Amino acid sequence: MPQNVPLSIEKELLQQIAGGDEAAFGRLFSLVVPVLQRSVLKLVASEEGMQEVIQETFIRVWLNRDKLPELDKPVHWLFRVASNESLTYLRKKALQKRHLNVYAGGGGEKSAEEEQASALMTLKETSLLVQQAVNRLPPQRQLIYRMSRNEGLKNSEIAEKLGVTDSHVRNTLVMALQSIREYLAAAGKVVPLMALFFKNF
Amino acid sequence: MITQETAYTLIEKQFSAELTDAEKADLDEWMLDDANRSAFIDKVSDLMLSASEYQAYDAAYWQPVLNSVLEADRTTAQLQALPYRKRMLLPWMAAAAALLLLLWGTFYFTRQQKQPDTAGIQLIKDVAPGHTGAVLTLADGRTVALDSLPNGVVATDNGAEIRMDGKGLVYNNKGTAATAYNIISTPVGRQFMLTLPDGSKVWLNSASSLRYPVAFTGKERRVQVTGEVFFEVAADAARPFRVETERYGVLEVLGTAFNINVYADEKHGATTLIAGAVRVNSGRQQLVLQPGQQAQVSATQAIQLNANANLAQVTAWKDGVFNFANQPLEVVMRQLARWYDIEIVYEGHVPDIEFFGEMGKNLTLQQVLHVLEQTGVKFKMEETNKLVVMP
């Protein structure tokens, strides 16, 4: 597959992200967004839509962080995820347009406020589903996940507090992410991203 | 339906020019067919990879998006309120309206930090939120107010030394055989945490109480509760822990963390298990709960199982948050009454509204009502602490 975009992603960065490093994730975000932004904007033809697609794309990336170091071609995978989120957005728009035509007799462009509100809702939906998923984790797994994400503790700090090993904490976090992804998939919010991993490369 | 080839041509065109309405309609139809998802992804990711346009990274523009992404899997969002009204005209319209509220609510709170109120409900006198505090009743009936005591010993009772330690009250047992009972109670507008003589930790919501011995000397550890209390019971297999309630029977605790809500003005008593195991015995029925389950005991001692309790919601109060997810107006108003020490009066019918979202318990009453008003309910403060709710 051709690649013109000036982007390469170091394995080390992906490993840092897999360890839950938010700053490393921020660096990935700032590397990828500049090469993705224009394409997504052209495809979805609205700035709010572009923001929403990029936001949803990176939520997927973040929720798959434990798997990032295994990726052979991380750039290709990322662009497939972005394409998938673009499609989700375009389908949503297409369906809304149909409903507008049915109920309001056509016309009816949405205002900028509604556009922005819709982007917020998408995030809110995803984020609510993620929170429900976290709430359904078994108690110990939930506790460790919250200590990591809410309190920002390092794996070693969690291990010390709970009297377990570092690798137990690491494995628990991976299992927690797996459960969250399964919950989101079951809620129909995302196609399983594993399907995107092995396509064409 | 257009062919994949035509669809690809249209997608390419979309990248360089604008599609006609007819072309858009064709492409929409093609995209809406699930069978075409992977064909779309193949084509679009190819086009994205071969694009050569680069736009410099605008950190200020993207920071909020990045923050939202990282917030998505943190589970204690503060100051987010998303109230919405049931029964709207069309589902998507309801959604759109709710979104605008969310947007407005978020905007309001961001702005709120800097500027005084200029719109919405104006209470004659705003009501400050509740805070930490309780009253301790010793075995001989003496009472100690625990609102703002410095750390240190606050009382001794039948051989037990009772201290404030920064987080709450702690019992240090110097060895006693006597069975003397203490009562800790929270007034309206207060919540409190204490550690029992066996090391069990207990959080009391407002308008609640707990009666317990200064030393657990028997074969069982027995306590009595009213209101809403969260327990983290210290493990001790030799001495089971029993929680007794006035109207909703007994809980036999086989271990660890659970929340019990037996407010007299709620419809039923509810025990929610976070971790460990609990047997609920209503006197008429028994049920062993698994973590994540909730037992609701009715006034007639019938037990109903909710297998998927919303744990975040049940325990939110303990972490200083109102969680209004799927709560009807009356339940929300009762929570506010207990925290802001107000009386709720309904003028006319009780509006049929469900709420959704979280708000910090550190907000003033006016700030909270401001957001709730966005559902269309009206509030009016009468005298000092009577809040009138109008549909």
Side-chain angles (χ1 to χ4, degrees):
Chain A
M1 199 186 296
Q3 185 190 328
N4 291 342
V5 293
L7 176 64
S8 69
I9 300 172
E10 302 290 332
K11 197 130 211 156
E12 198 191 333
L13 185 66
L14 298 178
Q15 274 158 355
Q16 287 165 348
I17 297 170
D21 185 337
E22 292 190 7
F25 183 73
R27 286 198 293 283
L28 177 72
F29 186 88
S30 66
L31 281 173
V32 175
V33 165
V35 296
L36 203 52
Q37 189 171 349
R38 287 282 177 91
S39 298
V40 175
L41 183 60
K42 282 185 200 155
L43 187 63
V44 303
S46 92
E47 188 176 338
E48 289 77 17
M50 182 266 290
Q51 273 196 16
E52 181 178 326
V53 166
I54 286 184
Q55 176 178 283
E56 290 290 304
T57 299
F58 278 89
I59 288 179
R60 304 300 155 223
V61 174
W62 181 239
L63 291 178
N64 280 278
R65 57 189 178 274
D66 56 320
K67 300 220 175 288
L68 299 180
E70 297 164 25
L71 290 172
D72 251 1
K73 295 184 173 179
V75 177
H76 288 62
W77 177 76
L78 252 159
F79 279 54
R80 292 189 72 80
V81 176
S83 307
N84 184 53
E85 293 308 321
S86 302
L87 179 61
T88 303
Y89 176 85
L90 289 170
R91 288 173 68 152
K92 187 175 77 181
K93 290 283 135 181
L95 286 172
Q96 277 173 358
K97 198 157 71 184
R98 284 191 179 180
H99 286 144
L100 273 177
N101 287 335
V102 172
Y103 292 117
E109 283 295 311
K110 278 187 153 191
S111 70
E113 286 83 24
E114 285 172 309
E115 286 282 354
Q116 205 170 351
S118 142
L120 259 172
M121 186 57 181
T122 305
L123 174 68
K124 200 65 196 165
E125 267 173 15
T126 310
S127 152
L128 273 176
L129 282 170
V130 173
Q131 304 206 355
Q132 281 171 8
V134 174
N135 287 335
R136 273 159 200 263
L137 296 173
Q140 172 86 353
R141 208 176 283 178
Q142 193 176 130
L143 179 68
I144 290 178
Y145 197 79
R146 286 176 195 269
M147 286 171 97
S148 171
R149 291 299 301 139
N150 295 6
E151 297 168 35
L153 296 179
K154 292 198 185 93
N155 290 3
S156 56
E157 292 167 336
I158 298 172
E160 195 183 326
K161 281 201 170 194
L162 297 180
V164 296
T165 61
D166 283 18
S167 65
H168 176 77
V169 173
R170 198 169 54 241
N171 292 338
T172 305
L173 290 174
V174 168
M175 283 188 289
L177 279 170
Q178 184 62 34
S179 312
I180 294 169
R181 290 193 291 262
E182 280 165 10
Y183 185 81
L184 285 177
K189 185 65 190 169
V190 286
V191 294
L193 289 187
M194 287 306 284
L196 300 172
F197 273 97
F198 300 111
K199 195 81 187 172
N200 275 3
F201 49 91
Chain B
M1 171 96 65
I2 52 174
T3 62
Q4 179 171 317
E5 202 182 342
T6 313
Y8 277 11
T9 313
L10 292 179
I11 291 171
E12 276 175 33
K13 189 178 169 197
Q14 170 88 19
F15 269 80
S16 55
E18 211 167 311
L19 300 182
T20 67
D21 283 349
E23 286 171 332
K24 256 186 213 159
D26 283 348
L27 188 56
D28 279 354
E29 194 195 355
W30 183 81
M31 287 190 305
L32 283 169
D33 185 344
D34 255 330
N36 295 327
R37 182 175 282 272
S38 73
F40 177 94
I41 291 171
D42 288 349
K43 181 66 186 173
V44 169
S45 59
D46 263 3
L47 286 170
M48 285 178 174
L49 280 164
S50 51
S52 50
E53 280 179 277
Y54 179 91
Q55 181 153 352
Y57 184 65
D58 180 346
Y61 179 87
W62 285 107
Q63 194 61 42
V65 177
L66 178 58
N67 291 346
S68 312
V69 170
L70 288 167
E71 277 306 317
D73 72 335
R74 273 200 263 273
T75 44
T76 45
Q78 290 283 327
L79 287 190
Q80 283 178 352
L82 177 52
Y84 79 102
R85 191 162 198 139
K86 276 202 294 189
R87 47 182 176 80
M88 296 276 287
L89 304 174
L90 299 167
W92 75 265
M93 278 184 172
L99 313 178
L100 289 170
L101 289 184
L102 165 67
L103 183 68
W104 193 87
T106 313
F107 166 73
Y108 172 75
F109 276 116
T110 332
R111 202 193 48 155
Q112 176 71 14
Q113 326 237 303
K114 290 168 220 131
Q115 290 176 20
D117 283 331
T118 50
I121 183 172
Q122 290 287 338
L123 303 183
I124 300 160
K125 183 168 154 277
D126 197 2
V127 181
H131 53 87
T132 301
V135 176
L136 172 67
T137 306
L138 300 171
D140 62 4
R142 277 180 297 148
T143 58
V144 185
L146 301 173
D147 257 31
S148 51
L149 282 180
N151 290 347
V153 176
V154 296
T156 54
D157 195 0
N158 286 277
E161 185 186 85
I162 309 164
R163 275 184 307 114
M164 287 292 291
D165 80 339
K167 278 192 189 151
L169 206 63
V170 181
Y171 278 75
N172 185 8
N173 196 339
K174 302 266 164 121
T176 175
T179 311
Y181 284 89
N182 282 183
I183 298 169
I184 191 97
S185 51
T186 46
V188 169
R190 297 286 180 279
Q191 62 183 60
F192 197 72
M193 184 260 170
L194 79 157
T195 307
L196 294 176
D198 65 338
S200 296
K201 291 189 166 63
V202 185
W203 287 258
L204 282 87
N205 203 345
S206 39
S208 303
S209 76
L210 177 75
R211 181 175 180 270
Y212 51 93
V214 297
F216 289 108
T217 52
K219 286 189 190 134
E220 281 184 332
R221 294 172 286 172
R222 295 170 64 158
V223 300
Q224 287 91 33
V225 304
T226 67
E228 180 163 33
V229 180
F230 183 90
F231 286 90
E232 266 177 32
V233 172
D236 184 352
R239 291 183 304 164
F241 199 97
R242 283 166 67 92
V243 182
E244 299 170 355
T245 69
E246 206 172 309
R247 300 165 61 195
Y248 298 113
V250 177
L251 296 179
E252 293 159 35
V253 181
L254 315 164
T256 56
F258 56 96
N259 189 76
I260 168 162
N261 179 331
V262 286
Y263 281 118
D265 56 356
E266 296 296 342
K267 268 198 207 118
H268 49 66
T271 298
T272 313
L273 186 64
I274 316 299
V278 168
R279 181 186 293 115
V280 179
N281 184 343
S282 70
R284 201 180 121 195
Q285 285 180 298
Q286 288 195 21
L287 182 68
V288 175
L289 290 183
Q290 304 295 320
Q293 295 184 339
Q294 181 180 68
Q296 298 173 349
V297 182
S298 72
T300 57
Q301 269 85 47
I303 301 180
Q304 199 183 352
L305 176 71
N306 171 4
N308 276 312
N310 183 340
L311 300 186
Q313 173 177 45
V314 170
T315 59
W317 66 267
K318 169 177 154 299
D319 303 319
V321 175
F322 289 116
N323 183 321
F324 295 143
N326 302 320
Q327 301 273 32
L329 177 71
E330 281 182 287
V331 174
V332 168
M333 295 316 292
R334 282 198 289 269
Q335 290 182 29
L336 298 184
R338 289 183 205 119
W339 190 236
Y340 294 97
D341 196 4
I342 49 173
E343 188 190 339
I344 307 290
V345 184
Y346 293 91
E347 195 175 284
H349 69 280
V350 179
D352 177 23
I353 298 172
E354 268 189 11
F355 290 87
F356 180 40
E358 290 188 339
M359 291 165 100
K361 288 177 86 173
N362 56 354
L363 298 173
T364 69
L365 180 61
Q366 182 157 306
Q367 290 173 318
V368 171
L369 295 181
H370 233 312
V371 174
L372 299 188
E373 267 191 341
Q374 305 314 307
T375 58
V377 206
K378 295 272 176 296
F379 300 102
K380 187 173 77 192
M381 197 70 160
E382 267 184 12
E383 298 162 22
T384 38
N385 60 354
K386 189 184 277 183
L387 186 71
V388 183
V389 183
M390 295 163 289

